[in-house]
Amino acid sequence: MKIEISARKREAQGTGASRRLRRSGRVPGILYGGDKQPVNIELEHKDLLQKLHNEAFHASILALKLDGGPAEQVLLRSFNMHPYRPQVQHVDFQRVSKDKKIHMKVPLHFVNADKSPGVKEQGGVANHIMNEIDITCFPDDLPEFVEVDLGNLAVGNSIHVRELRLPKGVEAVLHKTENPVVATVIMPALVTEEEEAAATEATPAAGEVPTTAQAAPEATAEGAAGEKAEKAEKPEKSEKGEKKEKK
């Protein structure tokens, strides 16, 4: 069942008009593609934001109704979010034709990692290198996601794009001999007891080696104490004593 979305034509254009539109709870956008002219549209923000949280909304053929008319098949092509607020700033939709192939990125769903020998028997962990894949197909063949079965992977083994079982009518978009890694099973990084002990021995205990900053105040204090002692040992001459010496 296609996800439906409603929109209406947007007459006012420009930065100021878009700002006013957002303040009223609407989102400016554009609908383009096919044999028709691009149309500036606006959508209800709350409904659009809710749909954007649905993974299928990003990789499915959508049914867009413009001004209550018949639904058109479209794809979500891009959207812009506010830098720090949960607010959609702009959205783009592209019309699609049943007889023309489309180029899309669809999410990858990983299964059976816990059953793989690398995880179950060897204590490894699944490492996802890719989270989505570039594909091409006709609109009716577009999958919501592509499944990646990790059930046979041992530690150190990988699964590549060309090894994936793609749905009928779906092809991965690759260049010549390109065959990127999709996922692998690796051993988690562990610090051995010997390495931990060696690191402890190499690090001096706190307070064992005084730093220059720590030693300097002590030296200053000792110097000051010495000066005071020196002055205490030398008796001060009185004014009378000085006069007697002059006579």
Side-chain angles (χ1 to χ4, degrees):
M1 184 178 178
K2 286 186 175 64
I3 300 174
E4 292 187 357
I5 188 164
S6 298
R8 67 189 187 198
K9 289 182 182 178
R10 174 166 52 98
E11 301 301 335
Q13 298 181 36
T15 305
S18 294
R19 192 179 295 116
R20 288 191 295 273
L21 196 66
R22 295 186 192 103
R23 282 201 294 263
S24 68
R26 309 285 292 176
V27 181
I30 189 168
L31 173 63
Y32 65 91
D35 301 326
K36 300 178 182 179
Q37 292 294 317
V39 179
N40 291 312
I41 61 174
E42 59 182 82
L43 305 91
E44 202 275 316
H45 182 269
K46 186 177 180 181
D47 179 61
L48 178 61
L49 185 62
Q50 186 177 7
K51 284 181 168 63
L52 285 171
H53 289 300
N54 181 1
E55 183 185 67
F57 188 72
H58 297 258
S60 298
I61 302 296
L62 311 172
L64 187 147
K65 290 185 178 181
L66 185 60
D67 289 333
E72 295 185 74
Q73 288 193 330
V74 302
L75 289 170
L76 172 67
R77 276 309 186 189
S78 67
F79 64 95
N80 298 329
M81 296 295 296
H82 191 276
Y84 54 86
R85 282 190 296 218
Q87 183 185 50
V88 187
Q89 300 284 287
H90 194 274
V91 63
D92 292 3
F93 293 100
Q94 180 187 3
R95 300 184 186 95
V96 297
S97 302
K98 284 189 175 185
D99 57 345
K100 290 183 181 179
K101 284 191 172 183
I102 55 176
H103 183 177
M104 281 288 290
K105 287 183 182 290
V106 296
L108 296 172
H109 285 192
F110 298 89
V111 298
N112 296 328
D114 56 334
K115 297 178 182 177
S116 69
V119 174
K120 190 176 180 180
E121 300 169 13
Q122 298 173 292
V125 293
N127 183 28
H128 302 165
I129 309 299
M130 298 170 61
N131 291 312
E132 59 184 12
I133 183 174
D134 246 343
I135 64 163
T136 182
C137 64
F138 288 107
D140 289 344
D141 295 328
L142 180 64
E144 289 185 15
F145 59 87
V146 170
E147 191 173 271
V148 183
D149 190 349
L150 305 179
N152 295 319
L153 290 186
V155 168
N157 290 350
S158 303
I159 185 167
H160 296 73
V161 170
R162 294 184 188 274
E163 297 168 341
L164 297 177
R165 292 183 179 179
L166 299 176
K168 185 180 177 181
V170 177
E171 297 177 3
V173 178
L174 297 170
H175 301 287
K176 295 182 180 180
T177 58
E178 185 184 16
N179 192 21
V181 175
V182 176
T184 184
V185 175
I186 60 173
M187 288 299 292
L190 297 174
V191 180
T192 63
E193 292 182 5
E194 291 79 5
E195 289 174 336
E196 195 173 340
T200 304
E201 288 176 10
T203 306
E208 188 177 321
V209 182
T211 63
T212 305
Q214 290 172 329
E218 291 175 7
T220 305
E222 285 178 10
E227 285 178 13
K228 285 181 182 178
E230 241 180 86
K231 287 179 181 178
E233 287 175 5
K234 292 180 182 179
E236 294 182 1
K237 292 180 180 181
S238 63
E239 290 181 4
K240 290 181 181 180
E242 287 178 359
K243 287 178 181 178
K244 286 179 182 180
E245 284 180 3
K246 285 178 183 179
K247 288 180 182 182

